[in-house]
Amino acid sequence: MSSTTASLANAPTTDTGLNHAARTPRAMYWRRFRRNPLCITGALLLALLMFLAAFGHLLAPHDPILVNTADRFIAPGAQYFFGTDEFGRDIFSRILYGARIAVQVGIVSVVVAFVGGIVLGLISGYYSGWIDTILSRLLEIWLSFPDILFVIAVVAILGPSLNNVIVALGFLSIPAYARIVRGSVMSARQEVYVEAARSVGVSNARIMGRHILPNVVAPLIILSSLRFGGALLTGAGLSFIGLGAQPPEPEWGAILSGGRTYMYQAPWITVFPGIAIAVFVLGINMLGDGLRDVLDPRLTR
Amino acid sequence: MLVNGRTGTRVFHERVHRMTHQDSIRQLVSDLEHRRLDRRAFVQRAGALGLSARATAMMLGAMGVATPAVAMTAAAQEPGGAMTRAVTTDPETLDPHMTSNGSAWTVFTTIYSSLVYQDIDLTFKGLLADSWEISEDNLELTFVLKDGVTFHDGSVCDAEAVKYTFERLAAVGAKNPLYEMAQALTVEVIDPLTVKFIFEEPNAAFFNAISGGYGGIFAPEATEAAGDDYGRQPVGTNAFKLKDWQTGSLVTLESFPETVAVEGYFENQGAPYIEELSFKVIPETFAQVASLETGEVDAAELTATDLPRFENNDQYEILTSTDAELGYLGLTRIRPLMSDPNVRKAIAHAINRDEIVNTIFEGGLAEPAYTPLPPSVPGYDESLVELSPQYDVEAAKALLEEAGWVEGDDGIREKDGERLAPSLYTTTATTSGQLATLIQAQLRLAGIEVEINQLEVAALLDFTPKGEHDMLLLSWGWSDPDVLYLFLSTDRMETSNRVHYSNPDFDALLVEGQQTMDQEARMAVYLEAQKILLEDLPWVPLYMPITKLAVAKRVQGAQVFPTGGLLLNDAWIDD
């Protein structure tokens, strides 16, 4: 089905005569995107997250890691919007700085998975035969590890740090990408235009890159947005149990974890990073779901 | 703001109190002399005045007070009922020879008894042993055992069992703190109730070492029959025996009526009133306290933040003990960054212990520690406090300048292009993370950038022998000065000497300390040893924890030993 989508995207823009220029695939997707509330809400939240990641440090009123034990456990108010933690650090500033970490975790892990998945998927799908058999079995073994366990194992080997968590999250997602790419490639391989390209002597690498790869972009975008949210959540989870961000990094999961002890006394330490995680993960997932609706070829008719 | 103001004030007052209200202490002593107080009330009031457990015990000893630990109404002590205590981790094994896990200790000390126990005045009394004799050269120690003591499985606790226990310990007990000690002695059975220990060298730390759960006596047949599964089928002689164990969630013990009770602690010399004692595994301290409030558990250690809520709540009794424990910052001298004495001294100067105690322990669950042996451990000497580098950031900066570390653009010091950025390793426990964060902020003010690494406890303990950590944030608990041997001697380099410290002069003093039987002379040896440590600074002493165990009112008559450990033989359930 994704090949249909892509061939539409690939097809020359023609005027059918029945409609106006608005019927070009790009315009059609855009219109559907605009009309989809999931997409719009999700996209706005993602944009906000990106904005905070880029400019949060300019907006932060305090140093996120500065310990000031004279100002411990101050409730949210004018001086500290989200209150302060057990070390007198400003929760608001920490959450702003944390947005950058969250985006880093999401983007880098998705890029690692994207690149790794495409390479493995293309090779596996295009060549088929024994290469495909070996790679597919390998990916199945890889997929059989429970997500969180896989990441914990990688972190246990490499040592606890945010970078290692990001790498682990990226590797975790590679099989999911590879399988989608492989499937798409296998069906696209049968298409007439691929056969045509091959018949005029175009190299394998060029066929894969120029003619097959564009077919798989749509499902990968959907997958990426979902994985982005997942990575953010798992990263926060690992920092929560002390295996991700190391003190004093203002990672959301770590802030939340640090506030647990003070739930009665200073609930704002846990509440605000909790809200941040929930809202942005929800937003990204909404965008993912929305994109799937928009890009789904079954809706083109 | 309010919270901080309150705790800050409280600590300040306590200090003033201690320094100027000598009168209160005199009054207390006088009350005791005239027997206006029983021992328990005295211990509580002494604690309120900030006297250390050791000081309290010495005063009691000096007054010759030997009344039972509690004087309580004999009413309502109905046998029966169950109580549950929260513990942080699964015990993993209940074989004391195979573990040094704190939760395991909490459980197995209620299962095993040792030959002797340490009374509240810190002297040693017989438990499974009836009496003993020490030879003139201090190399032979002969115990006569109590007659008719049986293990949980019905077998007899005799001289063979004692011999078996110590031989097994010497063979397999590498994780047990008594391991080296057991290897340096021979045990001979004289007759079924007489057993002789023959030492290679005199050992002054022996009684203390064997007096707790780690020195528990095993039943030979049951141990051999269980083989590798023994850790899950422990057999001892103490008041409770294992009934059921759901890994990772609950350990249930039932009372063992034929037990030998500890005379000095309890009025009740018979079977415990409580029929079932459970330990519920709740990893989060926050969740432990919540379980206490819902009544799911009856006893849990309080965290600093919960303390005020419980202290003003008559539904709970708070049992306080000053742990014979030290939280320290280890500085690994074999690491290039830590090899310079000036750098180590600068770090010690940059540490603000009052801020640590007031912030992380809310002023109530720890006292600052300045000496390698804190006040709760014998061998503590007040004169050492002033030898310990005090909080002084300017002094720290001057020392670093002198050592050639100059401030870079971002405020972090550099030397020959290298940043002063030592690694600090600690556990994933909440308190460890908080301590690390605060120490990181404190050292930052002197221009030192600390890189924090948190590892699971087991992973951390396996990691330290590699010597790849610049700093280590950890704590230990042990009530004899021989603890310095355990953690800082060259002999222990591959195991528990986690900071890779080695100093022949210090090692020689440790051996002397082990072999000096006269207590006063022995403490003088440890005074010298600590002077060396405060010069070399393998540890920067940080704090001495205070444990506050909250016990729900339905459990009556529970006690804790001044230096930790729940005592339950007099406790009963009042539902």
Side-chain angles (χ1 to χ4, degrees):
Chain A
M1 61 180 181
S2 45
S3 62
T4 328
T5 319
S7 40
L8 268 171
N10 245 12
T13 310
T14 51
D15 189 352
T16 57
L18 293 171
N19 264 314
H20 302 289
R23 284 302 273 182
T24 65
R26 188 169 298 172
M28 181 184 70
Y29 291 139
W30 173 234
R31 199 188 57 205
R32 266 198 229 147
F33 187 90
R34 272 180 302 153
R35 288 183 182 173
N36 187 321
L38 280 178
C39 276
I40 293 298
T41 322
L44 285 178
L45 282 169
L46 182 64
L48 175 64
L49 181 64
M50 293 296 176
F51 174 78
L52 293 181
F55 303 108
H57 62 289
L58 300 175
L59 302 172
H62 298 274
D63 181 339
I65 62 168
L66 184 74
V67 168
N68 174 11
T69 49
D71 281 359
R72 307 175 63 211
F73 300 123
I74 294 185
Q79 192 189 0
Y80 299 103
F81 302 139
F82 289 177
T84 62
D85 67 5
E86 75 269 29
F87 296 111
R89 295 176 299 195
D90 179 33
I91 300 290
F92 182 66
S93 304
R94 286 177 71 72
I95 288 179
L96 288 182
Y97 275 82
R100 181 171 297 186
I101 298 176
V103 168
Q104 253 171 22
V105 171
I107 290 184
V108 177
S109 66
V110 163
V111 166
V112 168
F114 204 97
V115 173
I118 283 179
V119 170
L120 289 184
L122 276 180
I123 294 174
S124 185
Y126 188 78
Y127 289 104
S128 62
W130 63 270
I131 297 181
D132 179 41
T133 311
I134 291 173
L135 280 176
S136 296
R137 294 302 87 76
L138 203 73
L139 292 175
E140 275 156 23
I141 294 171
W142 200 333
L143 267 176
S144 66
F145 289 104
D147 287 11
I148 195 93
L149 210 62
F150 179 85
V151 182
I152 289 177
V154 172
V155 171
I157 293 164
L158 301 178
S161 87
L162 199 59
N163 288 343
N164 292 341
V165 166
I166 295 175
V167 169
L169 286 170
F171 274 83
L172 174 71
S173 299
I174 286 180
Y177 283 83
R179 281 166 65 106
I180 287 185
V181 174
R182 173 178 172 273
S184 301
V185 168
M186 287 182 106
S187 58
R189 219 160 50 115
Q190 318 294 337
E191 297 287 338
V192 184
Y193 61 86
V194 172
E195 221 168 291
R198 202 179 283 127
S199 68
V200 297
V202 179
S203 74
N204 280 341
R206 195 175 160 81
I207 292 175
M208 280 193 265
R210 280 300 296 266
H211 301 286
I212 292 182
L213 195 56
N215 287 294
V216 300
V217 167
L220 289 190
I221 288 174
I222 297 166
L223 182 66
S224 293
S225 65
L226 293 172
R227 285 281 162 171
F228 189 106
L232 212 155
L233 198 61
T234 314
L238 285 168
S239 294
F240 183 87
I241 58 172
L243 291 174
Q246 297 293 304
E249 275 182 286
E251 205 278 339
W252 292 342
I255 304 176
L256 201 133
S257 170
R260 269 175 314 170
T261 327
Y262 305 101
M263 285 272 264
Y264 278 108
Q265 192 180 353
W268 53 86
I269 309 177
T270 29
V271 167
F272 290 109
I275 291 176
I277 296 171
V279 166
F280 289 115
V281 171
L282 180 71
I284 293 161
N285 283 340
M286 281 162 78
L287 180 66
D289 282 349
L291 281 176
R292 194 180 47 205
D293 293 348
V294 168
L295 298 177
D296 192 333
R298 280 172 302 189
L299 298 174
T300 44
R301 269 162 234 124
Chain B
M1 186 71 99
L2 263 176
V3 174
N4 184 59
R6 185 172 47 69
T7 53
T9 319
R10 190 149 66 92
V11 167
F12 179 65
H13 276 305
E14 218 166 58
R15 289 266 160 83
V16 175
H17 201 69
R18 208 175 302 166
M19 283 188 292
T20 60
H21 287 58
Q22 293 290 335
D23 293 345
S24 313
I25 296 174
R26 272 192 218 106
Q27 178 62 43
L28 178 66
V29 172
S30 144
D31 281 353
L32 180 70
E33 264 177 325
H34 296 98
R35 300 293 187 268
R36 284 194 290 262
L37 291 171
D38 66 20
R39 185 153 70 168
R40 193 181 199 203
F42 172 78
V43 171
Q44 280 176 350
R45 276 185 49 187
L49 284 169
L51 294 177
S52 70
R54 182 171 162 70
T56 310
M58 278 176 0
M59 285 164 77
L60 280 167
M63 298 297 157
V65 178
T67 49
V70 232
M72 63 190 162
T73 49
Q77 294 174 355
E78 296 273 320
M83 81 167 276
T84 307
R85 177 182 179 167
V87 290
T88 309
T89 61
D90 189 74
E92 288 164 27
T93 173
L94 290 174
D95 179 347
H97 292 173
M98 300 293 188
T99 182
S100 54
N101 174 319
S103 290
W105 182 87
T106 305
V107 180
F108 72 60
T109 47
T110 65
I111 295 175
Y112 295 91
S113 331
S114 45
L115 289 170
V116 297
Y117 72 94
Q118 189 169 30
D119 202 355
I120 206 152
D121 60 4
L122 303 186
T123 60
F124 295 99
K125 307 252 168 73
L127 183 52
L128 294 179
D130 194 45
S131 63
W132 58 86
E133 254 174 52
I134 304 170
S135 70
E136 214 135 283
D137 58 4
N138 290 320
L139 289 176
E140 289 184 9
L141 172 58
T142 312
F143 285 102
V144 177
L145 306 179
K146 281 180 186 159
D147 200 0
V149 180
T150 57
F151 286 103
H152 296 161
D153 68 346
S155 61
V156 179
C157 177
D158 57 9
E160 284 295 343
V162 175
K163 179 178 159 74
Y164 173 81
T165 301
F166 281 87
E167 284 175 354
R168 182 176 187 267
L169 174 59
V172 302
K175 286 189 175 171
N176 184 299
L178 279 58
Y179 182 55
E180 276 84 358
M181 199 175 272
Q183 287 186 319
L185 60 81
T186 321
V187 188
E188 275 180 19
V189 174
I190 308 291
D191 64 51
L193 287 179
T194 314
V195 62
K196 187 195 269 182
F197 289 76
I198 303 160
F199 298 86
E200 288 169 13
E201 303 284 349
N203 194 327
F206 185 71
F207 275 87
N208 181 76
I210 64 163
S211 68
Y214 284 120
I217 302 300
F218 284 50
E221 279 170 28
T223 313
E224 287 300 312
D228 288 344
D229 289 335
Y230 181 73
R232 298 192 67 89
Q233 310 165 18
V235 175
T237 49
N238 209 345
F240 293 94
K241 62 176 179 180
L242 184 66
K243 185 180 171 193
D244 185 42
W245 182 351
Q246 295 160 24
T247 306
S249 66
L250 193 70
V251 182
T252 307
L253 314 179
E254 60 185 344
S255 66
F256 174 58
E258 288 87 49
T259 186
V260 185
V262 184
E263 285 175 31
Y265 301 163
F266 303 120
E267 282 200 330
N268 170 26
Q269 293 293 306
Y273 301 126
I274 293 175
E275 268 179 359
E276 205 174 270
L277 171 65
S278 303
F279 296 88
K280 192 171 172 59
V281 181
I282 306 177
E284 288 294 331
T285 49
F286 171 73
Q288 287 190 6
V289 172
S291 306
L292 182 63
E293 289 188 306
T294 58
E296 199 181 337
V297 301
D298 303 304
E301 286 182 13
L302 293 179
T303 63
T305 45
D306 298 309
L307 190 56
R309 246 175 341 119
F310 281 85
E311 274 180 333
N312 302 319
N313 188 336
D314 60 8
Q315 291 303 301
Y316 302 94
E317 188 182 6
I318 310 284
L319 302 176
T320 302
S321 53
T322 307
D323 307 341
E325 197 174 320
L326 177 79
Y328 65 88
L329 179 68
L331 307 178
T332 316
R333 290 205 304 177
I334 56 165
R335 301 282 297 171
L337 277 181
M338 293 292 120
S339 59
D340 186 337
N342 276 341
V343 172
R344 295 198 302 273
K345 206 169 171 196
I347 290 170
H349 274 303
I351 298 288
N352 182 349
R353 295 173 178 83
D354 290 334
E355 190 179 44
I356 291 174
V357 167
N358 291 338
T359 306
I360 292 160
F361 301 100
E362 304 291 336
L365 284 188
E367 278 183 38
Y370 294 90
T371 52
L373 296 174
S376 48
V377 176
Y380 168 75
D381 197 302
E382 217 180 329
S383 69
L384 290 166
V385 173
E386 60 188 49
L387 297 180
S388 183
Q390 307 289 315
Y391 174 54
D392 183 349
V393 180
E394 292 312 314
K397 287 179 180 168
L399 281 165
L400 291 172
E401 293 284 340
E402 201 180 306
W405 292 96
V406 290
E407 217 165 288
D409 298 333
D410 56 354
I412 301 303
R413 291 176 185 274
E414 291 171 0
K415 182 173 160 182
D416 307 328
E418 193 189 2
R419 286 162 67 82
L420 188 48
S423 61
L424 183 153
Y425 281 80
T426 192
T427 69
T428 49
T430 313
T431 310
S432 302
Q434 291 177 328
L435 277 166
T437 307
L438 192 55
I439 285 169
Q440 183 183 52
Q442 290 178 350
L443 296 189
R444 180 72 181 70
L445 297 178
I448 303 167
E449 184 179 57
V450 175
E451 286 166 8
I452 298 173
N453 299 273
Q454 288 181 274
L455 300 176
E456 288 292 335
V457 181
L460 181 67
L461 298 188
D462 285 344
F463 176 79
T464 55
K466 294 182 197 158
E468 290 168 10
H469 54 293
D470 295 322
M471 298 187 192
L472 178 70
L473 192 55
L474 216 58
S475 65
W476 53 257
W478 196 241
S479 56
D480 189 89
D482 195 42
V483 65
L484 298 179
Y485 172 81
L486 229 48
F487 290 111
L488 292 171
S489 68
T490 310
D491 292 353
R492 279 280 185 160
M493 194 60 93
E494 298 301 315
T495 53
S496 55
N497 185 342
R498 310 196 178 281
V499 290
H500 300 259
Y501 175 69
S502 179
N503 181 333
D505 295 341
F506 176 75
D507 286 340
L509 284 169
L510 293 180
V511 173
E512 201 185 329
Q514 286 178 343
Q515 299 178 3
T516 308
M517 304 304 270
D518 177 72
Q519 283 304 302
E520 213 167 300
R522 184 167 183 242
M523 294 309 148
V525 172
Y526 286 111
L527 178 67
E528 290 311 306
Q530 289 183 80
K531 282 180 183 164
I532 295 179
L533 294 183
L534 288 173
E535 194 60 42
D536 289 350
L537 288 171
W539 288 343
V540 180
L542 299 176
Y543 65 93
M544 174 177 75
I546 294 169
T547 300
K548 304 259 186 186
L549 186 75
V551 182
K553 270 285 150 68
R554 67 181 284 268
V555 179
Q556 296 274 319
Q559 309 166 68
V560 286
F561 193 69
T563 54
L566 190 56
L567 307 173
L568 286 176
N569 231 46
D570 283 336
W572 80 99
I573 304 297
D574 180 19
D575 273 326

